[in-house]
Amino acid sequence: MRQVVVFSDLDGTLLDHETFSVRLAVSAVDLLVRRGFPLVPVSSKTASEIRWWMKALFLEGPFVCENGCGLVIPEGYFERIPEGGVKEKGEWRVPLGTAIGEVREKLKEAALEARVRVRGFGDMSSREISRLSGLKVQEELDGAMDREYEEPFVLEKEKDLDRLVPLAEKRGLVITRGGRFCHASGKCDKGRAVGILIVLFREKFPDVLTVGVGDSQNDLSMLLAVDRGFLVGKPDGSHDPAIPPEAAARTRGAGPKGFREAVEEIIAIG
């Protein structure tokens, strides 16, 4: 069959929304690894967090961190590196987003003008982040706080997001809604980062099928960038209405079960 590359969100997709368990997706991950099909994490998680999961899942290859604001590519994986890549500790780092300090400053300015209350990771203690994120292990918390480009945040009132977004956009920020947090970043998204990697994968493999798997609005640009998109279900069985049907096929299963379903379907059709 054709060479396959799978780009996947982590939280709520490859990882269970509540427990962060990958158990229900392990057989699908193993299937991809055995066939030599790259599995590329595309996540709001930081590079530090994703490296931990790559090691845990025995994955090697590139990944997209902080909702498309950064690319990390192992040295020697591709014949060339995208413009702006910086070599660091055996890997190439490709910054696509605005530095975190500037993002936080602009988010606070927008919130002040909108007269809404915003609390970002930069305002929270590790205990508060643990409570809101569900992360319990200190190593995971440290990784989540090691941000370079994007600020996850919560609003006192969810309806205030409509007032915040245009004022944030006026300052050059992009606001996306994830499973647990809203996210503020410079003008970057998962689709742009995935598009860069798709070009490199097509140079590496003459005939490649690109697949995207996600669960929420901030995966839309990724799902539109690939050949085949899949939207996994939420824990209550629903699907994010922000993802149009033409962008992604709906899986019956939620989270990692839906991821497994998507991979099995791709492998079955050859």
Side-chain angles (χ1 to χ4, degrees):
M1 66 178 296
R2 296 171 65 183
Q3 176 69 37
V4 174
V5 178
V6 177
F7 298 91
S8 179
D9 178 44
L10 291 181
D11 293 344
T13 302
L14 188 60
L15 309 179
D16 183 87
H17 178 74
E18 295 296 334
T19 67
F20 299 104
S21 171
V22 71
R23 179 178 60 85
L24 294 176
V26 166
S27 63
V29 174
D30 288 344
L31 181 59
L32 293 173
V33 171
R34 289 199 308 272
R35 298 217 176 196
F37 295 160
L39 172 56
V40 182
V42 182
S43 175
S44 62
K45 289 184 181 298
T46 66
S48 297
E49 292 177 285
I50 296 175
R51 286 192 196 93
W52 188 92
W53 279 107
M54 295 280 283
K55 184 177 180 180
L57 295 170
F58 301 100
L59 298 177
E60 297 179 353
F63 61 81
V64 177
C65 62
E66 298 193 44
N67 275 330
C69 292
L71 282 177
V72 179
I73 303 171
E75 183 180 4
Y77 192 86
F78 294 118
E79 290 189 1
R80 65 180 181 89
I81 296 300
E83 183 179 352
V86 178
K87 188 177 177 182
E88 184 179 314
K89 297 181 180 179
E91 61 187 19
W92 288 92
R93 309 291 300 279
V94 185
L96 301 174
T98 304
I100 186 64
E102 184 177 345
V103 170
R104 286 171 172 164
E105 181 179 351
K106 289 181 176 179
L107 178 62
K108 288 181 179 179
E109 290 175 358
L112 184 63
E113 185 177 352
R115 297 183 181 180
V116 302
R117 291 190 178 183
V118 166
R119 283 186 63 76
F121 269 30
D123 305 311
M124 299 180 188
S125 66
S126 60
R127 178 176 295 182
E128 186 174 2
I129 293 173
S130 175
R131 177 176 60 81
L132 293 173
S133 68
L135 297 173
K136 304 299 181 185
V137 179
Q138 190 60 48
E139 184 178 3
E140 293 178 309
L141 282 169
D142 290 342
M145 297 171 71
D146 185 21
R147 313 206 69 81
E148 299 173 90
Y149 312 106
E150 185 201 62
E151 180 75 336
F153 67 92
V154 293
L155 289 158
E156 184 179 53
K157 298 177 182 177
E158 190 171 340
K159 65 180 182 180
D160 289 342
L161 188 63
D162 291 337
R163 296 214 310 273
L164 178 66
V165 167
L167 295 173
E169 289 178 345
K170 186 175 73 173
R171 291 168 169 81
L173 297 183
V174 175
I175 305 293
T176 55
R177 190 194 302 268
R180 284 183 169 83
F181 302 97
C182 294
H183 301 264
S185 68
K187 290 187 177 179
C188 55
D189 58 44
K190 290 184 176 184
R192 177 189 173 200
V194 166
I196 292 171
L197 288 178
I198 286 175
V199 170
L200 295 172
F201 273 117
R202 293 199 187 284
E203 293 173 358
K204 186 180 179 75
F205 303 116
D207 185 24
V208 62
L209 174 68
T210 59
V211 178
V213 190
D215 76 312
S216 63
Q217 180 190 16
N218 69 344
D219 296 314
L220 177 57
S221 61
M222 172 184 71
L223 297 173
L224 292 173
V226 297
D227 298 318
R228 289 285 308 276
F230 290 89
L231 182 68
V232 303
K234 301 289 187 182
D236 64 2
S238 67
H239 291 82
D240 193 323
I243 308 296
E246 61 270 22
R250 271 59 174 160
T251 68
R252 294 183 300 276
K257 188 175 180 180
F259 174 86
R260 185 180 68 200
E261 183 183 328
V263 169
E264 290 173 349
E265 179 176 330
I266 288 296
I267 299 298
I269 65 175

